[in-house]
């Protein structure tokens, strides 16, 4: 199976995560996209709700969109999660799968700062979601990596290719959604109904709706 991996804090998960994931799944004909909430993100100070709540919201999104599946591997870890470590475990657990790790162009521009970033290409393909406002200049060191890896097709190997995919820009951010929820402003356009219901039932983010 061809499996997309979308990691994130998902605090909360919203259409800015979900719609690009589905676009990539359809464009690259992936069998599934696994949503992988972080437990202790190495690049952030913390989250606004518990790991259990973020897992439950991601599962609610998966229930509404069947091409999405929950992957709790990082959430069940008690130490900061590094992508290369996680993918190594997934490759060991699911040797028959071909993994496609999804990231935005902003993340790709900073990929050289990731822990053991070059080893990622031994474990998965990378899907670079291209969005307006984030451009890769010809002088940027990652331009060479993109050029070399884009020429490597998935038919040659189950890992190591880069797939640039243009996605529809989404105007949503978790920070703004949390603010809107605390002020009783509608978030119907930003959150799936299943996620809204969970937030309301558990009174997360100071929800007033």
């Amino acid at each position: 199976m061809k499996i997309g991996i979308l990691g994130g804090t998902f605090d909360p998960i919203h259409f800015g995560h979900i719609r690009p994931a589905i676009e990539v799944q359809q464009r690259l004909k992936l069998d599934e996209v696994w949503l992988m909430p972080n437990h202790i993100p190495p690049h952030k100070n913390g989250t606004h709700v518990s790991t259990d709540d973020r897992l439950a919201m991601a599962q609610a999104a998966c229930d509404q969109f069947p091409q999405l599946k929950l992957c709790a591997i990082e959430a069940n870890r008690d130490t900061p999660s590094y992508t290369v470590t996680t993918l190594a475990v997934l490759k060991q657990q699911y040797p028959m799968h071909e993994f496609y790790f999804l990231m935005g162009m902003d993340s790709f521009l900073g990929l050289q700062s990731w822990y053991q970033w070059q080893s990622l290409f031994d474990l998965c393909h990378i899907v670079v979601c291209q969005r307006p406002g984030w451009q890769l200049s010809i002088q940027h060191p990652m331009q060479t990596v993109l050029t070399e890896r884009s020429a490597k097709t998935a038919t040659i190997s189950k890992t190591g290719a880069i797939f640039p995919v243009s996605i529809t820009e989404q105007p949503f951010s978790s920070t703004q959604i949390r603010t809107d929820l605390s002020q009783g402003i509608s978030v119907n356009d930003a959150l799936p109904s299943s996620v809204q219901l969970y937030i309301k039932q558990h009174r997360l983010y100071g929800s007033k709706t």
Side-chain angles (χ1 to χ4, degrees):
M1 293 179 68
K2 293 183 177 181
I3 305 296
I5 299 286
L6 179 61
T9 308
F10 301 143
D11 191 17
I13 190 167
H14 53 74
F15 282 127
H17 306 122
I18 294 167
R19 286 173 181 159
I22 292 175
E23 284 189 23
V24 169
Q25 182 257 329
Q26 294 173 343
R27 192 80 57 83
L28 298 182
K29 296 180 170 54
L30 305 182
D31 294 287
E32 297 173 347
V33 174
W34 293 359
L35 301 178
M36 190 171 65
N38 305 129
H39 176 46
I40 306 174
H43 59 291
K44 291 192 176 182
N45 294 326
T47 57
H48 294 79
V49 299
S50 71
T51 296
D52 286 344
D53 281 327
R54 291 184 296 111
L55 281 170
M57 287 187 287
Q59 182 59 62
C62 294
D63 291 342
Q64 192 166 339
F65 299 92
Q67 59 269 70
L68 306 178
K69 305 294 180 185
L70 179 65
C71 177
I73 183 173
E74 289 195 346
N76 292 329
R77 191 176 292 152
D78 292 329
T79 56
S81 297
Y82 292 99
T83 301
V84 67
T85 305
T86 299
L87 284 168
V89 174
L90 288 175
K91 284 293 288 184
Q92 185 176 30
Q93 291 180 345
Y94 304 98
M96 73 295 294
H97 288 346
E98 191 172 335
F99 289 106
Y100 293 70
F101 187 77
L102 281 61
M103 66 171 60
M105 177 60 81
D106 52 336
S107 294
F108 184 73
L109 291 175
L111 188 62
Q112 289 179 311
S113 67
W114 289 31
Y115 177 68
Q116 295 184 356
W117 70 276
Q118 290 172 313
S119 296
L120 291 172
F121 296 108
D122 298 323
L123 299 167
C124 65
H125 302 302
I126 289 181
V127 180
V128 180
C129 299
Q130 298 177 301
R131 292 175 289 203
W134 292 95
Q135 301 297 326
L136 185 60
S137 70
I138 196 165
Q139 294 85 13
H140 196 285
M142 291 306 293
Q143 179 65 61
T144 301
V145 178
L146 178 62
T147 301
E148 292 175 351
R149 296 285 177 173
S150 293
K152 177 181 172 59
T153 65
T155 58
I156 297 174
S157 172
K158 288 190 174 182
T159 63
I162 295 177
F163 294 87
V165 177
S166 296
I167 60 171
T168 305
E169 186 174 16
Q170 300 295 324
F172 310 115
S173 77
S174 296
T175 300
Q176 187 60 53
I177 290 168
R178 291 193 299 267
T179 299
D180 290 346
L181 285 166
S182 69
Q183 296 177 358
I185 299 172
S186 173
V187 291
N188 289 344
D189 60 339
L191 297 178
S193 57
S194 57
V195 177
Q196 290 188 61
L197 179 61
Y198 183 89
I199 290 172
K200 181 177 181 181
Q201 289 176 335
H202 294 81
R203 299 185 178 183
L204 303 182
Y205 308 114
S207 174
K208 295 181 180 180
T209 57

